[in-house]
Amino acid sequence: MAELGTLEELPQDYRDDLTSHNLLPLWPNLRAKVPPGKPIRRSEPVLWRYDDVRPLLLKAGELTPIEKAERRVLALANPGLGLSNMMATPSIYIGMQLINPGETAPNHKHTPSAIRCVVEGSGGFTTVQGEKCPMDKGDLILTPSGMWHEHGHEGKGPVIWMDALDLPLVYYLEASYSVEGASQPLRNAPDSSQTRYRRAGLVPYASLGRARAPYPLTRYPWVEVRESLLALAQDVPAGEPVWLAYVNPETGLECLPVLGFSAFMVRPGETVRTARRSCSAVVHVIEGEGEADVDGTALVFGENDTFVLPTHANVAVANRSGKNPLFLFVVDDAPLQRKLGFYEEFPAV
Ligand code: GTQ
C-alpha cells in the first residue's frame, strides 16, 4: 500500500491558504478515515458491575427527587468515547434508571427510539401510546421514536431497568429532541403480548389485509423468552449459539430501525464463540455468571452486569456454572448496518 503524503510536507503558506478557505487535503487523513482491512475503534470492552452501579443509583434516589430528574438515570459511558458523551458504543446509549414506589416519570416523546430491559423489582410500569406495560425482570419494552411514554411504580422497593437508546446516532444527526405531554389515557389492559400477539405464528386476522404495523408489540415478557431459549437449547448442537431475535410479529423483521435485540443462552459449562460481527453491541446479563473474552480482554461477569462488544470484536462467552444456564440480553446496531448495506459476519477465530 502506497505511503501517502503528510500535511507537514506542504508549504506553510499553502496550508494557511487552505485553512482560510475552510479546506482540508484528504490524503494526509485518508488512511485514518478509511483504514485498510479493519476499522479503527475507540470503544473499549468495558464492564459495568451491578454491585458498583446499584448503590450509586440508589444514592441518586436519595440525593435527587424525581421531580428534579424526570428520569433518574446513570448513563453507562464508554471512556474510550469520552465519558461526557454518554455513549456505550458509537450508536448505543445505555442508562440504568431507578424509580421508587409512588414516583412517576412524566409523559414525553422524542426522536430517538428507546427500549427498557427490567433489571430488578416489581410493580413498575411503562405506558406506551396508552398501553400500560407491566415491567417484570427481563421484560423488553419498546418505546419507538415519536411514541408517548411515561413510567410509574405501584409496588414496593426500588425498580431498576436498563434503558437503551439510539441517542448517540440521532444526536450526531442533530435531530434529537423531545416533547412533553399530559399523562396518557389508558387504552387497553392487559397489554398486547397477552392478547393480540399471544404466540409466535399467530396474528390478528385483520392484520393480513392491511399495511404492516410498524410497532404492533411493545412488550416481550421474559418468562416466555426464557422458556423458548430452554426449548431451543434442546435442539442446538453443543458449542453453537442458542440465540433468539426479538422481531416485529407482523413483519418478522427487527423491532426497531436502528437497534436490534436478542436473547442468548449459554448452557452450563459451555463456551460459545460467535462470528465476528461488524456491529457494536451491549450485553446485559439477565441470569447467571460467566466470562467473556473480547479481543483478548477477559470480562468476568455476574447477574445484572453489563458489558460492551466493540465492532468487529472476536468474542467467546463461557458459562462458569456447571449447573445453571446463563441468559444474556443483547442490544446491537445490526439493523442500521443492514440498512446501510455493510453488515458483515466473519468466521469465529
Ligand atoms: O425513560 O424516557 O435513559 O427519555 C434517557 C432518555 C430514559 C426515558 C433515558 C429518556 C429516558
Side-chain angles (χ1 to χ4, degrees):
M1 185 168 298
E3 186 96 352
L4 300 181
T6 66
L7 199 58
E8 291 69 31
E9 286 166 9
L10 298 169
Q12 190 60 51
D13 59 337
Y14 175 69
R15 286 162 64 183
D16 294 344
D17 243 7
L18 289 175
T19 305
S20 68
H21 289 91
N22 299 322
L23 294 170
L24 203 69
L26 170 64
W27 58 97
N29 303 297
L30 182 61
R31 296 279 189 255
K33 289 292 174 191
V34 198
K38 205 169 172 179
I40 293 166
R41 300 162 305 163
R42 294 185 301 131
S43 308
E44 294 170 15
V46 205
L47 168 75
W48 292 270
R49 281 175 229 286
Y50 195 58
D51 282 349
D52 297 328
V53 175
R54 187 178 190 274
L56 293 169
L57 191 51
L58 293 179
K59 187 79 183 168
E62 295 165 21
L63 295 172
T64 306
I66 194 76
E67 296 76 21
K68 289 273 186 190
E70 285 190 13
R71 267 56 178 172
R72 194 189 288 109
V73 177
L74 295 179
L76 308 190
N78 193 314
L81 298 170
L83 264 187
S84 60
N85 291 323
M86 298 200 299
M87 300 153 94
T89 82
S91 60
I92 307 172
Y93 159 99
I94 297 285
M96 288 290 175
Q97 182 160 175
L98 164 70
I99 186 157
N100 283 318
E103 292 182 339
T104 54
N107 192 31
H108 73 180
K109 59 180 182 178
H110 37 66
T111 48
S113 290
I115 63 100
R116 332 281 153 189
C117 178
V118 182
V119 180
E120 77 164 76
S122 59
F125 66 89
T126 294
T127 305
V128 189
Q129 293 287 116
E131 183 168 29
K132 185 174 177 177
C133 296
M135 299 176 89
D136 293 318
K137 170 141 174 112
D139 286 1
L140 170 66
I141 314 274
L142 307 184
T143 59
S145 177
M147 299 218 160
W148 291 107
H149 57 281
E150 61 196 284
H151 315 293
H153 183 358
E154 294 163 328
K156 294 191 177 68
V159 163
I160 296 173
W161 63 75
M162 182 179 87
D163 294 312
L165 282 78
D166 53 13
L167 177 61
L169 177 75
V170 181
Y171 184 80
Y172 180 74
L173 297 176
E174 299 186 351
S176 178
Y177 76 97
S178 67
V179 177
E180 289 185 27
S183 189
Q184 302 160 62
L186 295 183
R187 183 163 57 80
N188 60 335
D191 68 276
S192 60
S193 71
Q194 307 304 305
T195 55
R196 280 174 291 161
Y197 302 97
R198 192 81 180 81
R199 266 194 87 89
L202 293 172
V203 295
Y205 190 85
S207 72
L208 295 177
R210 58 168 165 77
R212 310 282 83 173
Y215 309 113
L217 183 56
T218 39
R219 175 172 174 251
Y220 295 74
W222 172 245
V223 282
E224 287 167 28
V225 180
R226 191 182 190 281
E227 235 173 63
S228 304
L229 285 168
L230 288 168
L232 178 62
Q234 307 286 316
D235 196 40
V236 170
E240 286 182 25
V242 180
W243 200 0
L244 289 171
Y246 294 84
V247 297
N248 176 326
E250 290 204 358
T251 64
L253 302 174
E254 295 124 336
C255 309
L256 292 179
V258 174
L259 299 183
F261 314 101
S262 53
F264 198 107
M265 174 180 154
V266 186
R267 288 164 287 203
E270 192 175 33
T271 298
V272 181
R273 228 164 272 281
T274 49
R276 175 161 72 89
R277 309 201 303 147
S278 59
C279 59
S280 66
V282 172
V283 180
H284 176 74
V285 183
I286 294 185
E287 202 184 306
E289 55 182 15
E291 183 169 338
D293 180 313
V294 185
D295 279 340
T297 299
L299 305 174
V300 176
F301 58 77
E303 185 166 326
N304 300 335
D305 291 353
T306 306
F307 57 94
V308 165
L309 306 180
T311 62
H312 290 261
N314 284 301
V315 183
V317 182
N319 182 346
R320 297 227 292 191
S321 165
K323 43 179 217 289
N324 301 316
L326 167 65
F327 293 106
L328 305 172
F329 174 70
V330 183
V331 180
D332 62 46
D333 60 6
L336 175 69
Q337 290 202 353
R338 287 194 187 95
K339 288 185 182 76
L340 297 177
F342 60 75
Y343 177 76
E344 290 179 283
E345 292 182 359
F346 305 87
V349 293

PDB file of all heavy atoms in Angstrom, residues 95-124:
ATOM      1  N   GLY A  95     -28.548   3.486  29.829  1.00  0.00           N
ATOM      2  CA  GLY A  95     -28.728   4.105  31.139  1.00  0.00           C
ATOM      3  C   GLY A  95     -29.341   3.104  32.094  1.00  0.00           C
ATOM      4  O   GLY A  95     -30.049   2.189  31.676  1.00  0.00           O
ATOM      5  N   MET A  96     -29.012   3.262  33.374  1.00  0.00           N
ATOM      6  CA  MET A  96     -29.688   2.482  34.413  1.00  0.00           C
ATOM      7  C   MET A  96     -30.640   3.430  35.127  1.00  0.00           C
ATOM      8  O   MET A  96     -30.206   4.459  35.666  1.00  0.00           O
ATOM      9  CB  MET A  96     -28.688   1.901  35.408  1.00  0.00           C
ATOM     10  CG  MET A  96     -27.872   0.777  34.828  1.00  0.00           C
ATOM     11  SD  MET A  96     -28.872  -0.710  34.549  1.00  0.00           S
ATOM     12  CE  MET A  96     -27.654  -1.732  33.735  1.00  0.00           C
ATOM     13  N   GLN A  97     -31.925   3.102  35.105  1.00  0.00           N
ATOM     14  CA  GLN A  97     -32.953   4.015  35.616  1.00  0.00           C
ATOM     15  C   GLN A  97     -33.581   3.451  36.884  1.00  0.00           C
ATOM     16  O   GLN A  97     -33.929   2.280  36.936  1.00  0.00           O
ATOM     17  CB  GLN A  97     -34.032   4.244  34.537  1.00  0.00           C
ATOM     18  CG  GLN A  97     -35.114   5.208  34.973  1.00  0.00           C
ATOM     19  CD  GLN A  97     -35.930   5.856  33.834  1.00  0.00           C
ATOM     20  OE1 GLN A  97     -36.878   6.575  34.105  1.00  0.00           O
ATOM     21  NE2 GLN A  97     -35.545   5.616  32.593  1.00  0.00           N
ATOM     22  N   LEU A  98     -33.717   4.343  37.878  1.00  0.00           N
ATOM     23  CA  LEU A  98     -34.339   3.967  39.159  1.00  0.00           C
ATOM     24  C   LEU A  98     -35.648   4.706  39.331  1.00  0.00           C
ATOM     25  O   LEU A  98     -35.722   5.920  39.126  1.00  0.00           O
ATOM     26  CB  LEU A  98     -33.401   4.354  40.323  1.00  0.00           C
ATOM     27  CG  LEU A  98     -34.050   4.385  41.717  1.00  0.00           C
ATOM     28  CD1 LEU A  98     -34.400   2.980  42.192  1.00  0.00           C
ATOM     29  CD2 LEU A  98     -33.127   5.076  42.716  1.00  0.00           C
ATOM     30  N   ILE A  99     -36.666   3.956  39.731  1.00  0.00           N
ATOM     31  CA  ILE A  99     -37.920   4.589  40.123  1.00  0.00           C
ATOM     32  C   ILE A  99     -38.352   3.977  41.447  1.00  0.00           C
ATOM     33  O   ILE A  99     -38.311   2.756  41.621  1.00  0.00           O
ATOM     34  CB  ILE A  99     -38.969   4.490  38.977  1.00  0.00           C
ATOM     35  CG1 ILE A  99     -40.234   5.261  39.299  1.00  0.00           C
ATOM     36  CG2 ILE A  99     -39.276   3.068  38.593  1.00  0.00           C
ATOM     37  CD1 ILE A  99     -41.020   5.644  38.054  1.00  0.00           C
ATOM     38  N   ASN A 100     -38.658   4.846  42.406  1.00  0.00           N
ATOM     39  CA  ASN A 100     -39.071   4.375  43.726  1.00  0.00           C
ATOM     40  C   ASN A 100     -40.591   4.329  43.809  1.00  0.00           C
ATOM     41  O   ASN A 100     -41.285   4.955  43.001  1.00  0.00           O
ATOM     42  CB  ASN A 100     -38.481   5.292  44.803  1.00  0.00           C
ATOM     43  CG  ASN A 100     -36.999   4.996  45.039  1.00  0.00           C
ATOM     44  OD1 ASN A 100     -36.599   3.828  45.088  1.00  0.00           O
ATOM     45  ND2 ASN A 100     -36.189   6.045  45.161  1.00  0.00           N
ATOM     46  N   PRO A 101     -41.124   3.565  44.788  1.00  0.00           N
ATOM     47  CA  PRO A 101     -42.585   3.418  44.897  1.00  0.00           C
ATOM     48  C   PRO A 101     -43.299   4.767  44.899  1.00  0.00           C
ATOM     49  O   PRO A 101     -42.869   5.696  45.587  1.00  0.00           O
ATOM     50  CB  PRO A 101     -42.765   2.703  46.239  1.00  0.00           C
ATOM     51  CG  PRO A 101     -41.497   1.936  46.428  1.00  0.00           C
ATOM     52  CD  PRO A 101     -40.417   2.785  45.809  1.00  0.00           C
ATOM     53  N   GLY A 102     -44.347   4.865  44.114  1.00  0.00           N
ATOM     54  CA  GLY A 102     -45.169   6.075  44.078  1.00  0.00           C
ATOM     55  C   GLY A 102     -44.642   7.157  43.148  1.00  0.00           C
ATOM     56  O   GLY A 102     -45.342   8.122  42.853  1.00  0.00           O
ATOM     57  N   GLU A 103     -43.404   7.020  42.685  1.00  0.00           N
ATOM     58  CA  GLU A 103     -42.845   8.044  41.798  1.00  0.00           C
ATOM     59  C   GLU A 103     -43.370   7.870  40.373  1.00  0.00           C
ATOM     60  O   GLU A 103     -43.725   6.764  39.963  1.00  0.00           O
ATOM     61  CB  GLU A 103     -41.311   7.963  41.778  1.00  0.00           C
ATOM     62  CG  GLU A 103     -40.676   8.369  43.102  1.00  0.00           C
ATOM     63  CD  GLU A 103     -39.156   8.339  43.057  1.00  0.00           C
ATOM     64  OE1 GLU A 103     -38.578   7.650  42.188  1.00  0.00           O
ATOM     65  OE2 GLU A 103     -38.543   8.999  43.912  1.00  0.00           O
ATOM     66  N   THR A 104     -43.377   8.972  39.630  1.00  0.00           N
ATOM     67  CA  THR A 104     -43.715   8.883  38.206  1.00  0.00           C
ATOM     68  C   THR A 104     -42.680   9.654  37.397  1.00  0.00           C
ATOM     69  O   THR A 104     -42.158  10.678  37.839  1.00  0.00           O
ATOM     70  CB  THR A 104     -45.110   9.480  37.894  1.00  0.00           C
ATOM     71  OG1 THR A 104     -45.159  10.816  38.399  1.00  0.00           O
ATOM     72  CG2 THR A 104     -46.223   8.667  38.528  1.00  0.00           C
ATOM     73  N   ALA A 105     -42.378   9.120  36.229  1.00  0.00           N
ATOM     74  CA  ALA A 105     -41.504   9.803  35.270  1.00  0.00           C
ATOM     75  C   ALA A 105     -42.439  10.291  34.171  1.00  0.00           C
ATOM     76  O   ALA A 105     -43.072   9.486  33.486  1.00  0.00           O
ATOM     77  CB  ALA A 105     -40.454   8.843  34.737  1.00  0.00           C
ATOM     78  N   PRO A 106     -42.556  11.630  34.033  1.00  0.00           N
ATOM     79  CA  PRO A 106     -43.659  12.199  33.254  1.00  0.00           C
ATOM     80  C   PRO A 106     -43.670  11.834  31.769  1.00  0.00           C
ATOM     81  O   PRO A 106     -42.655  11.459  31.201  1.00  0.00           O
ATOM     82  CB  PRO A 106     -43.480  13.708  33.449  1.00  0.00           C
ATOM     83  CG  PRO A 106     -42.070  13.892  33.891  1.00  0.00           C
ATOM     84  CD  PRO A 106     -41.663  12.645  34.594  1.00  0.00           C
ATOM     85  N   ASN A 107     -44.864  11.995  31.183  1.00  0.00           N
ATOM     86  CA  ASN A 107     -45.106  11.615  29.794  1.00  0.00           C
ATOM     87  C   ASN A 107     -44.296  12.487  28.826  1.00  0.00           C
ATOM     88  O   ASN A 107     -44.292  13.710  28.939  1.00  0.00           O
ATOM     89  CB  ASN A 107     -46.598  11.786  29.507  1.00  0.00           C
ATOM     90  CG  ASN A 107     -47.013  11.166  28.202  1.00  0.00           C
ATOM     91  OD1 ASN A 107     -46.422  10.167  27.764  1.00  0.00           O
ATOM     92  ND2 ASN A 107     -48.015  11.735  27.568  1.00  0.00           N
ATOM     93  N   HIS A 108     -43.625  11.839  27.895  1.00  0.00           N
ATOM     94  CA  HIS A 108     -42.975  12.583  26.812  1.00  0.00           C
ATOM     95  C   HIS A 108     -42.757  11.674  25.606  1.00  0.00           C
ATOM     96  O   HIS A 108     -43.014  10.475  25.659  1.00  0.00           O
ATOM     97  CB  HIS A 108     -41.657  13.246  27.295  1.00  0.00           C
ATOM     98  CG  HIS A 108     -40.497  12.329  27.529  1.00  0.00           C
ATOM     99  ND1 HIS A 108     -39.263  12.780  27.957  1.00  0.00           N
ATOM    100  CD2 HIS A 108     -40.366  10.992  27.391  1.00  0.00           C
ATOM    101  CE1 HIS A 108     -38.424  11.769  28.057  1.00  0.00           C
ATOM    102  NE2 HIS A 108     -39.066  10.670  27.730  1.00  0.00           N
ATOM    103  N   LYS A 109     -42.350  12.283  24.523  1.00  0.00           N
ATOM    104  CA  LYS A 109     -41.939  11.508  23.346  1.00  0.00           C
ATOM    105  C   LYS A 109     -40.707  12.192  22.773  1.00  0.00           C
ATOM    106  O   LYS A 109     -40.467  13.370  23.032  1.00  0.00           O
ATOM    107  CB  LYS A 109     -43.063  11.442  22.306  1.00  0.00           C
ATOM    108  CG  LYS A 109     -43.541  12.793  21.790  1.00  0.00           C
ATOM    109  CD  LYS A 109     -44.666  12.622  20.770  1.00  0.00           C
ATOM    110  CE  LYS A 109     -45.104  13.967  20.211  1.00  0.00           C
ATOM    111  NZ  LYS A 109     -46.154  13.847  19.180  1.00  0.00           N
ATOM    112  N   HIS A 110     -39.905  11.422  22.024  1.00  0.00           N
ATOM    113  CA  HIS A 110     -38.702  12.023  21.442  1.00  0.00           C
ATOM    114  C   HIS A 110     -38.314  11.312  20.160  1.00  0.00           C
ATOM    115  O   HIS A 110     -38.825  10.231  19.848  1.00  0.00           O
ATOM    116  CB  HIS A 110     -37.552  12.051  22.451  1.00  0.00           C
ATOM    117  CG  HIS A 110     -37.447  10.867  23.363  1.00  0.00           C
ATOM    118  ND1 HIS A 110     -37.153   9.613  22.917  1.00  0.00           N
ATOM    119  CD2 HIS A 110     -37.622  10.754  24.713  1.00  0.00           C
ATOM    120  CE1 HIS A 110     -37.112   8.779  23.943  1.00  0.00           C
ATOM    121  NE2 HIS A 110     -37.414   9.437  25.050  1.00  0.00           N
ATOM    122  N   THR A 111     -37.397  11.949  19.435  1.00  0.00           N
ATOM    123  CA  THR A 111     -36.986  11.363  18.154  1.00  0.00           C
ATOM    124  C   THR A 111     -36.152  10.092  18.324  1.00  0.00           C
ATOM    125  O   THR A 111     -36.312   9.162  17.532  1.00  0.00           O
ATOM    126  CB  THR A 111     -36.245  12.404  17.286  1.00  0.00           C
ATOM    127  OG1 THR A 111     -35.255  13.069  18.087  1.00  0.00           O
ATOM    128  CG2 THR A 111     -37.211  13.431  16.727  1.00  0.00           C
ATOM    129  N   PRO A 112     -35.259   9.992  19.328  1.00  0.00           N
ATOM    130  CA  PRO A 112     -34.570   8.701  19.493  1.00  0.00           C
ATOM    131  C   PRO A 112     -35.561   7.609  19.897  1.00  0.00           C
ATOM    132  O   PRO A 112     -36.552   7.875  20.575  1.00  0.00           O
ATOM    133  CB  PRO A 112     -33.571   8.966  20.631  1.00  0.00           C
ATOM    134  CG  PRO A 112     -33.432  10.441  20.705  1.00  0.00           C
ATOM    135  CD  PRO A 112     -34.760  10.994  20.296  1.00  0.00           C
ATOM    136  N   SER A 113     -35.281   6.387  19.471  1.00  0.00           N
ATOM    137  CA  SER A 113     -36.063   5.229  19.913  1.00  0.00           C
ATOM    138  C   SER A 113     -35.417   4.663  21.163  1.00  0.00           C
ATOM    139  O   SER A 113     -34.194   4.695  21.309  1.00  0.00           O
ATOM    140  CB  SER A 113     -36.075   4.143  18.832  1.00  0.00           C
ATOM    141  OG  SER A 113     -36.841   4.552  17.723  1.00  0.00           O
ATOM    142  N   ALA A 114     -36.267   4.100  22.045  1.00  0.00           N
ATOM    143  CA  ALA A 114     -35.759   3.555  23.302  1.00  0.00           C
ATOM    144  C   ALA A 114     -36.328   2.173  23.565  1.00  0.00           C
ATOM    145  O   ALA A 114     -37.374   1.803  23.019  1.00  0.00           O
ATOM    146  CB  ALA A 114     -36.109   4.494  24.462  1.00  0.00           C
ATOM    147  N   ILE A 115     -35.632   1.429  24.396  1.00  0.00           N
ATOM    148  CA  ILE A 115     -36.182   0.185  24.944  1.00  0.00           C
ATOM    149  C   ILE A 115     -35.826   0.123  26.417  1.00  0.00           C
ATOM    150  O   ILE A 115     -34.901   0.817  26.874  1.00  0.00           O
ATOM    151  CB  ILE A 115     -35.642  -1.085  24.237  1.00  0.00           C
ATOM    152  CG1 ILE A 115     -34.117  -1.238  24.434  1.00  0.00           C
ATOM    153  CG2 ILE A 115     -35.990  -1.076  22.759  1.00  0.00           C
ATOM    154  CD1 ILE A 115     -33.708  -2.215  25.489  1.00  0.00           C
ATOM    155  N   ARG A 116     -36.552  -0.703  27.139  1.00  0.00           N
ATOM    156  CA  ARG A 116     -36.213  -0.968  28.553  1.00  0.00           C
ATOM    157  C   ARG A 116     -36.034  -2.470  28.700  1.00  0.00           C
ATOM    158  O   ARG A 116     -36.809  -3.238  28.109  1.00  0.00           O
ATOM    159  CB  ARG A 116     -37.338  -0.565  29.517  1.00  0.00           C
ATOM    160  CG  ARG A 116     -38.217   0.561  29.038  1.00  0.00           C
ATOM    161  CD  ARG A 116     -37.581   1.898  29.219  1.00  0.00           C
ATOM    162  NE  ARG A 116     -38.099   2.859  28.224  1.00  0.00           N
ATOM    163  CZ  ARG A 116     -37.584   4.057  28.062  1.00  0.00           C
ATOM    164  NH1 ARG A 116     -36.559   4.431  28.780  1.00  0.00           N
ATOM    165  NH2 ARG A 116     -38.077   4.874  27.153  1.00  0.00           N
ATOM    166  N   CYS A 117     -35.048  -2.859  29.502  1.00  0.00           N
ATOM    167  CA  CYS A 117     -34.922  -4.257  29.902  1.00  0.00           C
ATOM    168  C   CYS A 117     -34.872  -4.244  31.427  1.00  0.00           C
ATOM    169  O   CYS A 117     -33.980  -3.626  32.019  1.00  0.00           O
ATOM    170  CB  CYS A 117     -33.661  -4.885  29.320  1.00  0.00           C
ATOM    171  SG  CYS A 117     -33.425  -6.597  29.833  1.00  0.00           S
ATOM    172  N   VAL A 118     -35.829  -4.896  32.062  1.00  0.00           N
ATOM    173  CA  VAL A 118     -36.004  -4.750  33.507  1.00  0.00           C
ATOM    174  C   VAL A 118     -34.937  -5.551  34.256  1.00  0.00           C
ATOM    175  O   VAL A 118     -34.687  -6.716  33.956  1.00  0.00           O
ATOM    176  CB  VAL A 118     -37.418  -5.191  33.937  1.00  0.00           C
ATOM    177  CG1 VAL A 118     -37.606  -4.991  35.438  1.00  0.00           C
ATOM    178  CG2 VAL A 118     -38.474  -4.430  33.150  1.00  0.00           C
ATOM    179  N   VAL A 119     -34.315  -4.885  35.244  1.00  0.00           N
ATOM    180  CA  VAL A 119     -33.211  -5.488  35.986  1.00  0.00           C
ATOM    181  C   VAL A 119     -33.680  -6.033  37.336  1.00  0.00           C
ATOM    182  O   VAL A 119     -33.381  -7.160  37.703  1.00  0.00           O
ATOM    183  CB  VAL A 119     -32.071  -4.467  36.191  1.00  0.00           C
ATOM    184  CG1 VAL A 119     -30.919  -5.078  36.969  1.00  0.00           C
ATOM    185  CG2 VAL A 119     -31.571  -3.947  34.839  1.00  0.00           C
ATOM    186  N   GLU A 120     -34.410  -5.219  38.096  1.00  0.00           N
ATOM    187  CA  GLU A 120     -34.901  -5.727  39.384  1.00  0.00           C
ATOM    188  C   GLU A 120     -36.151  -4.991  39.843  1.00  0.00           C
ATOM    189  O   GLU A 120     -36.429  -3.874  39.404  1.00  0.00           O
ATOM    190  CB  GLU A 120     -33.814  -5.630  40.472  1.00  0.00           C
ATOM    191  CG  GLU A 120     -33.596  -4.231  41.032  1.00  0.00           C
ATOM    192  CD  GLU A 120     -32.805  -4.241  42.353  1.00  0.00           C
ATOM    193  OE1 GLU A 120     -31.579  -4.430  42.286  1.00  0.00           O
ATOM    194  OE2 GLU A 120     -33.408  -4.047  43.427  1.00  0.00           O
ATOM    195  N   GLY A 121     -36.895  -5.648  40.728  1.00  0.00           N
ATOM    196  CA  GLY A 121     -38.070  -5.051  41.332  1.00  0.00           C
ATOM    197  C   GLY A 121     -39.342  -5.432  40.599  1.00  0.00           C
ATOM    198  O   GLY A 121     -39.301  -5.965  39.494  1.00  0.00           O
ATOM    199  N   SER A 122     -40.464  -5.171  41.244  1.00  0.00           N
ATOM    200  CA  SER A 122     -41.742  -5.411  40.573  1.00  0.00           C
ATOM    201  C   SER A 122     -42.725  -4.318  40.954  1.00  0.00           C
ATOM    202  O   SER A 122     -42.560  -3.647  41.978  1.00  0.00           O
ATOM    203  CB  SER A 122     -42.298  -6.794  40.918  1.00  0.00           C
ATOM    204  OG  SER A 122     -42.461  -6.889  42.305  1.00  0.00           O
ATOM    205  N   GLY A 123     -43.701  -4.127  40.114  1.00  0.00           N
ATOM    206  CA  GLY A 123     -44.688  -3.072  40.333  1.00  0.00           C
ATOM    207  C   GLY A 123     -44.446  -1.871  39.433  1.00  0.00           C
ATOM    208  O   GLY A 123     -45.255  -0.956  39.365  1.00  0.00           O
ATOM    209  N   GLY A 124     -43.322  -1.880  38.704  1.00  0.00           N
ATOM    210  CA  GLY A 124     -43.056  -0.791  37.761  1.00  0.00           C
ATOM    211  C   GLY A 124     -43.877  -0.976  36.498  1.00  0.00           C
ATOM    212  O   GLY A 124     -44.288  -2.096  36.174  1.00  0.00           O
TER     213      GLY A 124
END
